[in-house]
Amino acid sequence: MYRRGIALGHFLPGVFQAIGAAEISKVNLPVAVLIWLMIIPMLVKIDFAALSQVAQHWRGIGVTLFINWAVKPFSMALLGWLFIGWAFKPYLPADQIDSYIAGLILLAAAPCTAMVFVWSNLCKGEPHFTLSQVALNDVIMIFAFAPIVGLLLVCPRSPCRGIRCFCPWRFTSSFRSSWRSSCGACFRAGR
């Protein structure tokens, strides 16, 4: 499958560049259409009048929210630091290590909503429960994404002019002193 995609991209580069350039407000239109095509089969199975019964499954929703917002972003920051910042560091460009870790943190802090519908549909999951979890996670994402990412990525507008990964377990004396001198000044100044 991947070889076909690579071959098509090699032999028809203009077609795929046009697909990649089909954007509105930085959103790729073909990707947006395909995401909706993944979600629609799940949505047509939902009886929206029955959504009130989801409250009976509060424990499952609570576990999902706890994992998505209290465990996943922080564990991904730890795994990013462990693998990108330590284990694979010799194989990666030194000036891009923090960017790779920042990318992992940004991905981990936002729960994937479209794929939840697909996985739930594939395993014949309860569509009302899935819809309610996705909707609740999306509402929480509006308010929690920026503070969590802001905590894990220390002050990108600091004088250090780069994203520095906030990893408490990584606070060596040199990192701690550079953090205090550059990024810490931004927090004290309220920036």
Side-chain angles (χ1 to χ4, degrees), residues 45 119-127:
K45 295 179 180 178
W119 294 325
S120 180
N121 196 25
L122 289 173
C123 70
K124 298 178 177 43
E126 167 58 42

Side-chain angles (χ1 to χ4, degrees), residues 33-47:
V33 168
L34 292 173
I35 286 175
W36 275 105
L37 288 176
M38 287 192 310
I39 294 172
I40 287 172
M42 184 74 174
L43 290 177
V44 297
K45 295 179 180 178
I46 293 175
D47 173 16

Side-chain angles (χ1 to χ4, degrees), residues 9 12-22 28:
L12 302 169
V15 172
F16 292 98
Q17 288 173 356
I19 290 172
N28 185 274

Side-chain angles (χ1 to χ4, degrees), residues 162-179:
I163 296 175
R164 299 202 102 167
C165 177
F166 175 77
C167 303
W169 48 87
R170 181 175 150 176
F171 272 177
T172 61
S173 60
S174 62
F175 182 80
R176 191 176 324 132
S177 63
S178 68
W179 180 78

Side-chain angles (χ1 to χ4, degrees), residues 111-180:
C112 178
T113 56
M115 288 309 297
V116 172
F117 285 117
V118 173
W119 294 325
S120 180
N121 196 25
L122 289 173
C123 70
K124 298 178 177 43
E126 167 58 42
H128 302 98
F129 185 69
T130 302
L131 178 65
S132 63
Q133 281 189 321
V134 168
L136 188 57
N137 269 313
D138 287 349
V139 169
I140 292 172
M141 193 183 326
I142 292 169
F143 299 103
F145 181 81
I148 289 173
V149 168
L151 174 68
L152 294 172
L153 301 176
V154 173
C155 199
R157 292 183 297 169
S158 68
C160 63
R161 300 199 188 275
I163 296 175
R164 299 202 102 167
C165 177
F166 175 77
C167 303
W169 48 87
R170 181 175 150 176
F171 272 177
T172 61
S173 60
S174 62
F175 182 80
R176 191 176 324 132
S177 63
S178 68
W179 180 78
R180 282 186 184 146

